[in-house]
Amino acid sequence: MRLETKQDFRDWMHKVLDPLKPLYSEGGARLHLGDSGVTYPQVSIEMEAFSRPLWALVPFWAGGGEDKEFEDLYVRGLTNGTDPEHGEYWGGFTDYDQRFVEMAAIAGGILFAPEKVWEPLSQKAKEHLAGWLYGINEHIIPDCNWQFFMILVNAALRKQGCPYDQVKLEAGLSKVESYYLGDGWYRDGGSAQKDYYISFAMHYYGLLYAKAMGDQEPERCSRFTERAKVFARDFIYWFDDNGSALPYGRSLAYRFGEAAFWSAYVFAGLDDIPTDVVKGILARHLNWWEDQKIFDRDGVLTIGYAYPNLIMAERYNAPGSPYWGMKSLLCLALPDDHEFWSVPAASLPGLEAVKCLKQADMIVARHKKGVTAYPAGVCEKYGHGHVPEKYSKFAYSTRFGFSVARSQIVLHENAPDSALAFVIDGDDYVFTRKVSLSCEVKEDRVVSTWQPFPGILVTSTVIPEEDGHRRIHEIESSYDCRAYDCGFSVEKFTEGYVQRAEGSTAEVKYEAMGCQVHGDGPEAEGVIIEADPNTNVLYPNGTIPAVGYRIRKGKKTRLETVIKTYVK
């Protein structure tokens, strides 16, 4: 399927959502999609799976789409899920309740497709739903993008003349204002890391609010739209010509949610970046995902990235979580005569070969084939799972992906691609950059100081080059150890696959792509790391070329490693 017309996009939605139809509970309020664990209880797991398809169904309905089976399912589900007397009642709440997250999709339905989500309900069902939604005002929610869930719920209740909390609404909006950093970028509450949440949470919900409340709050809504325009000029660099987006940061299990911002951009009426370019980004992205192995045998989305993979998942990724990616179909709300549906999808415009994204704490390089980001390692030290692997590698690539550790013991289980990995003599534990102690993102390089283990201090300088990048490390160590400077993980079991390690060089390649690593430093030796299966996010089997060095305690050591990539 290649996406051009409105019907093409609708068909894409049906391909993703139609396999769910026979899986809803009898009362319509629950959706059981799997048995893997998560941090919240079963009622929240099944309510989440029920709610997230609404991110596509609501714009589908708002844009004139008709699907009687889904309409009946959601009227029945909303009625029964909020009825305290029904066996499928979603229940009351606790502080920080996951069900608050899922309220946002329902609020979006009330705001943008009330004729399908609100008006068909009986008066009693409306009272139950409004009362249930109001519960978000009576409990603690995190000081982060969750504020938007409460904002959208209160906006929806207000629109329907139901009781809402104006004080909480204003407080939430004030918190969102406090997250704004400038240059189009927000932080997500207290977190310093910049990832897709800035696009598909902070900006996405801000644009929803602007669309819904523009007449009532023109000044605030104008700020949301103007910030999105500025942000778009940076965010466009995260997208590859082939449609893929940069695999970086947490919540990658939402997959095509990476492009949700662009759908919200055109939905909100923004056109600083031409509509045909936005359509091209979105269409190519969804097309790219259609080519990946993201569904199970029944057509249900799996947890993972380019294939099913629980290793890289966060602790909040329940079986229904991947359907948050449906936010990328907000464009379905556009009317049939909108130019988005008639203009041909355009290629990306001419972009700088190397772009410094100061607010994102990274440099992004656009090579002949692919996008590579060089982040500074700014993130929370610990969090939802595999934080160092998702934020603190030296490079992230749309073509090579990145790897997550299976364990911190031995190199092949740690799979430390794009990292400097230390193994202290007499031990098998592997230590890499978790978070930078200090960093500076310059126009042509990223400099960071970090500590893989107490007693080892490293200053790393990463310099993008035309066909790869160069790393210079200055190391002070209180231990004798080996340091392995690792290149990208390269897919194995492919046609033409070869690997070699000679002298201070290691290389892994096949017909389509490859990575070579060459080093200069004490006892430099090319090494091949056979990474454990399911560690790379793009392919289940990968091999990592690296250069191993000898680090002596009490001595200052300088390493220089050149990483070159090849993509056909």
Side-chain angles (χ1 to χ4, degrees), residues 12 15-17 19-20 23 33-36 48 52 251-257 289 292-314 316-326 534 537:
W12 201 96
K15 178 179 178 178
V16 178
L17 293 187
L20 302 180
L23 303 179
L33 298 180
D35 297 299
S36 55
E48 172 188 83
R52 294 196 173 185
S251 295
L252 295 179
Y254 305 146
R255 294 185 171 110
F256 40 89
W289 277 110
Q292 310 310 308
K293 299 176 177 65
I294 61 177
F295 300 100
D296 68 13
R297 292 176 182 175
D298 296 322
V300 175
L301 283 173
T302 58
I303 298 171
Y305 194 63
Y307 63 95
N309 186 357
L310 283 174
I311 292 177
M312 54 75 66
E314 281 83 29
Y316 52 77
N317 287 152
S321 291
Y323 288 90
W324 224 355
M326 304 312 292
N534 306 315
V537 298

Side-chain angles (χ1 to χ4, degrees), residues 107-108 110-112 148 150-161 164-166 169-170 173 204-225 267-268:
I110 296 172
L111 286 168
F112 300 111
F148 264 123
M150 181 263 292
I151 290 167
L152 291 172
V153 165
N154 279 294
L157 293 174
R158 175 182 173 183
K159 282 278 188 178
Q160 294 301 331
Y164 73 100
D165 193 323
Q166 180 65 29
L169 177 59
E170 289 294 336
L173 288 165
Y204 188 95
Y205 302 134
L207 291 175
L208 282 186
Y209 189 83
K211 187 73 171 179
M213 305 297 289
D215 291 341
Q216 290 88 346
E217 295 187 70
E219 185 177 342
R220 186 194 305 278
C221 293
S222 177
R223 287 200 299 272
F224 284 151
T225 56
F267 172 72

Side-chain angles (χ1 to χ4, degrees), residues 36-40 45 48 52 98 193 195-197 200 247-255 302-305 309-322 324 380 382-391 402 404 537:
S36 55
V38 73
T39 56
Y40 36 92
I45 291 172
E48 172 188 83
R52 294 196 173 185
Q98 179 66 27
Q193 60 202 28
D195 51 34
Y196 283 105
Y197 267 83
F200 73 72
Y248 169 77
R250 69 186 178 109
S251 295
L252 295 179
Y254 305 146
R255 294 185 171 110
T302 58
I303 298 171
Y305 194 63
N309 186 357
L310 283 174
I311 292 177
M312 54 75 66
E314 281 83 29
R315 60 181 182 171
Y316 52 77
N317 287 152
S321 291
W324 224 355
E380 301 169 341
Y382 307 107
H384 301 292
H386 298 291
V387 170
E389 296 99 307
K390 293 171 181 176
Y391 294 95
F402 70 91
V404 292
V537 298

Side-chain angles (χ1 to χ4, degrees), residues 2-11 279 341-342:
R2 289 297 176 258
L3 304 177
E4 284 289 345
T5 67
K6 188 173 189 178
Q7 190 58 47
D8 292 339
F9 280 78
R10 285 175 170 176
D11 290 345
K279 181 176 182 177
W341 305 121
S342 59

Side-chain angles (χ1 to χ4, degrees), residues 223-240:
R223 287 200 299 272
F224 284 151
T225 56
E226 290 304 312
R227 291 169 184 172
K229 292 177 185 178
V230 177
F231 175 78
R233 299 167 199 158
D234 279 356
F235 191 52
I236 195 171
Y237 280 85
W238 287 34
F239 289 81
D240 196 326

Side-chain angles (χ1 to χ4, degrees), residues 13 16-17 20 24 31 33 46-61 70 74 102 105 320 322-327 329:
M13 182 202 78
V16 178
L17 293 187
L20 302 180
Y24 286 82
L31 186 55
L33 298 180
E46 295 181 356
M47 188 269 153
E48 172 188 83
F50 165 90
S51 177
R52 294 196 173 185
L54 284 170
W55 287 110
L57 289 170
V58 166
F60 169 72
W61 291 327
F70 270 131
Y74 277 88
E102 312 315 324
Y323 288 90
W324 224 355
M326 304 312 292
K327 289 161 69 173
L329 291 179

Side-chain angles (χ1 to χ4, degrees), residues 478-494:
S478 301
Y479 306 93
D480 289 328
C481 53
R482 294 285 291 176
Y484 298 86
D485 212 358
C486 305
F488 290 112
S489 171
V490 178
E491 186 176 10
K492 63 190 300 186
F493 305 134
T494 52

